């Protein structure tokens, strides 16, 4: 059984006034096949946690560990963490002119597997994955995210997730900016990858609407740089009713 364990994680980010600590001792364990929803107000540190564990250079680890299958990945580079089985779907996917979607995905898959996939099998797998996510096949030859709508960028993030077979996927506000139809398609894609590959999922969101489609096993409330309450899906329903005020005030 695979596991992702975050232990006493403390993280700071550089600001104009110097380093500012954002995370104050985060503890969380995700086992393979589990879906954990991380909810909380803006500025609570949810995205900081996502980028810090993925290895973003702007975030400084002050203390704690991130164990993937018992191995501390904190000292690893972002690509080493990805090769270990960690995947991050970004809130704002970047555009990469000059690199096609197909070349990007095949290069990433080669780095993960240690060898390039056979061309015929690769083309079949990519086409099936794009069909599953209702991505126009012509996008494979377009530059990565260049000129894509917000919904198209998010679908391509989930396409990467499906192609790379991660042990654990961190989805940073994947529902941000999606209309109803795009939200449904992206959610179906996440569920498909989860159900067929058995990966663990950390789903970061402000709102409960995506949880109508992606059913969490656990819900955690994030406030002031740490997890302040955990529970089952009923906790998300309570947040929908009462909001985050009591956590912010506390």
């Amino acid at each position: 059984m695979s596991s992702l364990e975050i232990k006493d994680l403390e993280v700071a980010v550089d600001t104009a006034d110097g380093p500012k600590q954002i995370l104050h001792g985060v503890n969380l364990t995700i086992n393979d096949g589990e879906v954990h929803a991380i909810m909380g107000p803006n500025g609570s540190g949810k995205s900081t946690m996502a980028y810090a564990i993925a290895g973003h250079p702007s975030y400084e680890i002050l203390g704690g560990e991130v164990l993937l299958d018992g191995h501390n990945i904190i000292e690893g580079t972002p690509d080493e963490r990805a090769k270990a089985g960690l995947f991050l779907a970004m809130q704002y996917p970047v555009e990469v002119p000059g690199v096609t979607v197909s070349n990007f995905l095949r290069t990433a898959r080669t780095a993960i597997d240690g060898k390039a996939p056979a061309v015929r099998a690769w083309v079949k797998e990519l086409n099936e994955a794009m069909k599953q996510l209702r991505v126009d096949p012509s996008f494979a030859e377009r530059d990565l995210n260049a000129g894509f709508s917000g919904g198209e960028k998010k679908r391509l993030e989930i396409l990467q997730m499906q192609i790379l077979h991660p042990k654990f996927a961190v989805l940073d506000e994947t529902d941000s900016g999606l209309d109803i139809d795009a939200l449904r398609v992206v959610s179906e894609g996440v569920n498909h990858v989860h159900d067929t590959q058995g990966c663990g999922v950390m789903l970061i969101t402000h709102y409960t609407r995506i949880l109508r489609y992606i059913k969490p096993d656990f819900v955690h409330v994030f406030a002031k740089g740490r997890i302040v309450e955990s529970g089952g899906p009923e906790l998300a329903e309570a947040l929908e009713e009462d909001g985050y005020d009591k956590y912010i005030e506390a």
Side-chain angles (χ1 to χ4, degrees):
M1 176 180 289
S2 291
S3 64
L4 178 66
E5 300 175 80
I6 302 171
K7 295 185 175 183
D8 300 318
L9 186 64
E10 299 181 354
V11 174
V13 62
D14 286 332
T15 71
D17 299 320
K20 178 181 179 181
Q21 187 168 348
I22 304 296
L23 300 188
H24 300 272
V26 176
N27 290 280
L28 177 65
T29 297
I30 303 175
N31 295 310
D32 55 359
E34 294 179 348
V35 177
H36 290 244
I38 311 295
M39 305 186 69
N42 282 322
S44 59
K46 304 184 304 297
S47 293
T48 294
M49 176 176 64
Y51 286 99
I53 66 177
H56 195 294
S58 295
Y59 298 90
E60 180 184 0
I61 307 296
L62 301 178
E65 298 178 308
V66 178
L67 305 177
L68 203 166
D69 291 344
H71 300 285
N72 192 0
I73 62 173
I74 286 298
E75 299 301 326
T77 61
D79 65 298
E80 289 171 340
R81 301 182 196 198
K83 290 176 182 178
L86 186 65
F87 173 80
L88 171 65
M90 294 182 287
Q91 182 178 355
Y92 302 108
V94 297
E95 298 185 4
V96 187
V99 178
T100 66
V101 169
S102 179
N103 284 342
F104 171 78
L105 291 174
R106 193 163 192 264
T107 299
R109 178 66 171 270
T110 299
I112 295 293
D113 292 348
K115 61 179 181 180
V119 174
R120 182 173 298 180
W122 165 252
V123 171
K124 180 181 179 181
E125 180 180 358
L126 180 59
N127 287 338
E128 289 177 351
M130 295 180 76
K131 182 178 180 180
Q132 171 73 30
L133 285 167
R134 304 180 201 175
V135 175
D136 190 319
S138 66
F139 282 19
E141 301 311 315
R142 290 177 58 183
D143 289 355
L144 183 66
N145 290 323
F148 288 12
S149 70
E152 290 166 346
K153 289 180 179 179
K154 296 299 178 69
R155 292 185 196 187
L156 284 175
E157 291 287 285
I158 306 308
L159 177 63
Q160 293 175 44
M161 176 181 167
Q162 180 163 340
I163 290 295
L164 298 181
H165 305 273
K167 294 179 180 178
F168 294 94
V170 179
L171 311 181
D172 184 27
E173 299 192 30
T174 298
D175 52 340
S176 176
L178 297 183
D179 61 29
I180 294 174
D181 291 330
L183 176 64
R184 184 180 296 111
V185 171
V186 167
S187 298
E188 289 173 353
V190 173
N191 287 331
H192 175 74
V193 178
H194 171 262
D195 294 343
T196 57
Q197 299 181 15
C199 62
V201 175
M202 180 194 296
L203 176 62
I204 297 172
T205 183
H206 292 296
Y207 309 109
T208 59
R209 64 174 190 157
I210 194 171
L211 303 184
R212 300 170 191 165
Y213 304 102
I214 302 174
K215 303 298 184 182
D217 300 297
F218 304 94
V219 174
H220 309 278
V221 181
F222 220 89
K224 299 182 179 179
R226 58 171 58 91
I227 292 173
V228 295
E229 187 170 351
S230 298
E234 70 282 352
L235 179 54
E237 297 173 6
L239 292 171
E240 178 74 12
E241 184 71 23
D242 302 328
Y244 299 113
D245 284 349
K246 72 175 184 179
Y247 301 105
I248 297 173
E249 293 167 359

